[in-house]
Amino acid sequence: MNTQFIQNNSEPHYDVIVIGSGLGGLVSALILAKEGKKVVVLEKNNQYGGNLQTFVRNKTIFDTGVHYIGGLDKGENLYNYFSYLNISDKLKLRQLNKNGFDMISFDDDIQEYPIAQTYQNFVDQLAIFFPTERENLIQYSKKLEEICSAFPMYNLNIGTFADEEDFLSINAKEYIDSVFTNERLKAVLVGNNFLYVGQAEKTPLYIHALSVNSYIHSAWRCVNGGSQIAKLLIKELKKYGGEIYKYQEIKSFVQNENEEVIGCETIKGKRYFGELFISNIDIKKTIDMLGERKFGKPFSRRVKSLEVTPSAFTIYIVFKPKSFSYINHNIYHFNSINDVWDSYEKPTNNWPNTYIATFSMDQKDEEYSESMTVMTYMTFDEVQKWEESYNVDINDNYGNRGEEYEEFKRQKTELIIRKLEKKFPGIRKKISDIHTSTPLSYRDFIGSEKGNMYGYLKDSSHPMKTFISPRSKVKNIFFTGQNVRVHGVLGVTVGAFVTCCEILGAEYLMNKVHREIEPNANE
């Protein structure tokens, strides 16, 4: 859908219009605002930040998407990118347990297995439990680093990513099976694959490596939530004259008589005109806003055929004061080692087959947890009967989708609590309140297709099928977000720099980044 208009002088005109205020959109906007460009960011909802959003219940802050971040120690990759954006030293962070930031556990095993920070410690901690696999762990660690080094922008270097199909088509499970003999260790090494939705036959090794490598270097929890990242980026954006507006849902692009894109229009009829447009919303929606012909039918049809990752069902637990000790690591728990791959496709008779639990510290008494967030897989099919209902109200909205929906959530919550009781006996009595979100919540607040967590599923058998260039066939429309390169805070940040390299020139931008961050690195 697109509209033709002649601009009048009273309508705003910008150098760059960014559609969507997720991390990729905000980073792209700030990079270009630093170049002196007149930039505006348009967000459809009440809250900025996409997956960086937080919400408050019972005076407790909960994250919607960002539960921990890697690569933020001084001099590491995300720290350096954030330094260029002038937010690294402003973040309020707490480093997770260095001897095990993620702990992997199973119903049939009382032991918890650590994923530790720094590769030496990573090897040492796992070798305690799997001493005969030490040399294999060293080999595996070197392989992860080697893969990450093949992506220049991951390490703030100039160059294109490793686009050789042989490299990208290495399957994660097949590689791990070829290196290790112990089945439990194999399961532990991919035990945190909720970070990328592990599929035995599809997940490429490079996705596994890029997802876990930065955490192994250093892993951090955002104090008071990940929304601080969005707030800091917006503050910097405004410092450079950038503008940002909420409740501006874009329905179409505006073209002139030569079919050149010159603006965009909101669902309420407000028009914004500009020279360049960066889409930080779902790529399929972007295509629909202008039509397949403009983006090229082969590209459009390829994108529309791509499978998205599943969504999640999440419970947000508020603890009674001083009732539950603070845990400075994340827990990935499985029914058995057979559930680590393809967990979301397993039979639901023993649901959930897996869950991830994260904890927030009580700021008044650091010995205790204030809250706990528990996530598990859920496909959109389970909530499809309510798909025509929408909710973007950040206030408590019990009953908005009907009592049947509320009962569905209560039943799912009870199943999770029963699982937690096995892991944490007596936890039920320590809970003050519980809130929930479903794939519908993620769809409405984040804007992702079917509420998916990480965009398009990558497939080692067809590695280039999910490759999305930040430069579209429409000369002044660019893409950013989790489908450009990879998902996650680091992946999306790198993707935004990749997008801006297409606009400004890679050599120019990355040389400027190094000039600005090197004085800080030497302090």
Side-chain angles (χ1 to χ4, degrees):
M1 177 67 184
N2 63 84
T3 316
Q4 290 194 353
F5 276 112
I6 302 298
Q7 182 183 2
N8 65 55
N9 293 331
S10 65
E11 290 167 322
H13 190 280
Y14 298 89
D15 297 321
V16 182
I17 295 176
V18 180
I19 303 171
S21 72
L23 177 61
L26 292 176
V27 171
S28 299
L30 177 51
I31 293 169
L32 296 172
K34 286 186 67 170
E35 295 300 312
K37 297 187 182 297
K38 186 179 181 183
V39 180
V40 65
V41 180
L42 305 174
E43 168 57 44
K44 73 170 186 175
N45 287 337
N46 174 69
Q47 192 173 165
Y48 302 120
N51 276 311
L52 297 172
Q53 293 178 61
T54 55
F55 65 93
V56 178
R57 295 288 183 270
N58 304 81
K59 299 181 180 179
T60 303
I61 298 172
F62 289 100
D63 276 299
T64 58
V66 176
H67 299 97
Y68 64 127
I69 308 174
L72 276 176
D73 211 356
K74 190 167 185 178
E76 292 179 350
N77 49 10
L78 186 57
Y79 179 93
N80 285 337
Y81 275 119
F82 277 3
S83 290
Y84 179 74
L85 302 171
N86 197 31
I87 68 170
S88 284
D89 59 349
K90 299 179 178 68
L91 292 170
K92 295 179 180 178
L93 304 168
R94 181 181 183 87
Q95 190 163 13
L96 292 169
N97 191 327
K98 292 183 179 181
N99 291 329
F101 63 91
D102 286 343
M103 302 297 285
I104 316 300
S105 60
F106 308 92
D107 271 355
D108 61 353
D109 188 346
I110 61 170
Q111 183 59 55
E112 290 186 334
Y113 299 94
I115 307 296
Q117 297 178 57
T118 77
Y119 273 104
Q120 181 63 57
N121 198 24
F122 168 81
V123 171
D124 289 344
Q125 294 297 327
L126 285 176
I128 294 172
F129 303 98
F130 308 100
T132 61
E133 298 272 24
R134 173 179 281 276
E135 291 304 313
N136 294 333
L137 284 164
I138 293 171
Q139 176 187 338
Y140 165 82
S141 300
K142 290 178 179 177
K143 186 67 173 181
L144 295 192
E145 296 257 65
E146 175 193 334
I147 288 173
C148 292
S149 67
F151 294 80
M153 292 287 287
Y154 183 85
N155 297 300
L156 288 85
N157 294 323
I158 300 170
T160 57
F161 84 116
D163 58 357
E164 299 173 9
E165 294 233 9
D166 288 346
F167 181 86
L168 299 177
S169 62
I170 301 172
N171 177 272
K173 184 178 187 301
E174 289 177 3
Y175 172 77
I176 290 170
D177 284 345
S178 74
V179 174
F180 300 97
T181 57
N182 187 290
E183 294 300 322
R184 192 162 297 271
L185 176 57
K186 292 178 187 179
V188 168
L189 291 173
V190 294
N192 54 6
N193 71 19
F194 197 93
L195 290 168
Y196 53 84
V197 184
Q199 290 186 298
E201 294 185 0
K202 291 185 177 181
T203 299
L205 183 60
Y206 83 89
I207 288 294
H208 171 73
L210 292 174
S211 297
V212 303
N213 179 69
S214 65
Y215 293 110
I216 293 175
H217 280 283
S218 68
W220 308 80
R221 185 164 286 154
C222 287
V223 177
N224 294 330
S227 62
Q228 61 177 297
I229 299 173
K231 292 173 183 175
L232 289 170
L233 290 170
I234 291 169
K235 185 176 181 180
E236 287 296 311
L237 174 65
K238 290 180 176 179
K239 188 171 80 175
Y240 288 97
E243 301 172 26
I244 184 167
Y245 302 106
K246 59 179 70 172
Y247 303 121
Q248 302 298 309
E249 182 174 355
I250 302 302
K251 70 171 184 179
S252 61
F253 286 105
V254 179
Q255 298 181 83
N256 62 16
E257 62 274 11
N258 297 320
E259 293 194 358
E260 297 169 324
V261 176
I262 59 171
C264 55
E265 183 179 6
T266 72
I267 57 173
K268 294 183 179 179
K270 184 173 178 60
R271 292 171 289 179
Y272 294 85
F273 289 85
E275 301 298 320
L276 294 179
F277 301 83
I278 298 177
S279 173
N280 185 213
I281 63 173
D282 184 81
I283 294 176
K284 296 176 185 179
K285 290 181 181 178
T286 307
I287 292 171
D288 288 340
M289 284 162 51
L290 196 57
E292 290 185 3
R293 181 178 65 85
K294 298 289 286 188
F295 289 100
K297 287 189 176 180
F299 169 79
S300 299
R301 290 170 182 172
R302 172 168 67 90
V303 168
K304 290 190 174 184
S305 73
L306 295 176
E307 181 185 0
V308 295
T309 59
S311 187
F313 182 84
T314 306
I315 67 170
Y316 307 92
I317 295 173
V318 180
F319 287 118
K320 295 174 182 177
K322 298 184 179 181
S323 65
F324 193 93
S325 296
Y326 175 66
I327 297 175
N328 196 35
H329 59 255
N330 309 303
I331 293 172
Y332 289 82
H333 187 80
F334 297 87
N335 291 348
S336 74
I337 63 172
N338 297 319
D339 289 303
V340 295
W341 290 106
D342 307 304
S343 186
Y344 78 95
E345 296 178 310
K346 301 288 185 185
T348 57
N349 58 334
N350 197 18
W351 186 92
N353 301 304
T354 181
Y355 62 79
I356 169 179
T358 66
F359 307 85
S360 69
M361 179 188 292
D362 187 333
Q363 298 302 308
K364 296 178 182 177
D365 192 334
E366 296 187 353
E367 184 181 343
Y368 295 98
S369 291
E370 182 179 47
S371 65
M372 175 183 188
T373 299
V374 185
M375 302 178 70
T376 188
Y377 292 118
M378 180 175 281
T379 64
F380 195 78
D381 292 345
E382 291 204 60
V383 295
Q384 194 153 13
K385 65 169 67 176
W386 301 286
E387 70 174 327
E388 296 304 319
S389 64
Y390 289 86
N391 171 51
V392 291
D393 188 347
I394 62 171
N395 298 312
D396 200 353
N397 42 66
Y398 180 90
N400 181 64
R401 302 188 201 269
E403 181 56 32
E404 185 183 6
Y405 178 71
E406 298 301 331
E407 178 59 25
F408 167 80
K409 292 193 294 181
R410 282 193 291 269
Q411 291 176 4
K412 293 295 185 181
T413 299
E414 176 60 24
L415 291 174
I416 293 176
I417 295 298
R418 290 177 187 176
K419 291 277 187 179
L420 292 177
E421 277 282 0
K422 294 180 181 179
K423 183 77 175 171
F424 307 102
I427 190 174
R428 190 187 296 269
K429 295 180 180 179
K430 300 176 181 181
I431 295 173
S432 168
D433 211 347
I434 300 178
H435 306 276
T436 60
S437 63
T438 74
L440 293 172
S441 315
Y442 290 100
R443 179 199 66 180
D444 293 352
F445 282 91
I446 308 302
S448 57
E449 178 187 355
K450 296 183 177 180
N452 76 81
M453 290 189 288
Y454 306 131
Y456 304 132
L457 274 169
K458 305 296 192 292
D459 187 347
S460 56
S461 299
H462 306 283
M464 299 308 293
K465 186 177 181 181
T466 53
F467 173 75
I468 306 294
S469 170
R471 181 184 290 275
S472 81
K473 284 202 169 185
V474 182
K475 65 179 181 180
N476 60 340
I477 295 181
F478 296 81
F479 301 121
T480 195
Q482 64 182 4
N483 289 313
V484 175
R485 299 304 180 261
V486 295
H487 61 273
V489 173
L490 174 58
V492 171
T493 299
V494 172
F497 275 84
V498 170
T499 298
C500 291
C501 281
E502 289 287 335
I503 296 169
L504 300 171
E507 190 169 342
Y508 166 79
L509 177 57
M510 296 313 294
N511 283 338
K512 184 178 180 184
V513 169
H514 281 283
R515 285 196 304 272
E516 289 199 18
I517 67 173
E518 280 168 7
N520 295 328
N522 295 327
E523 288 179 0

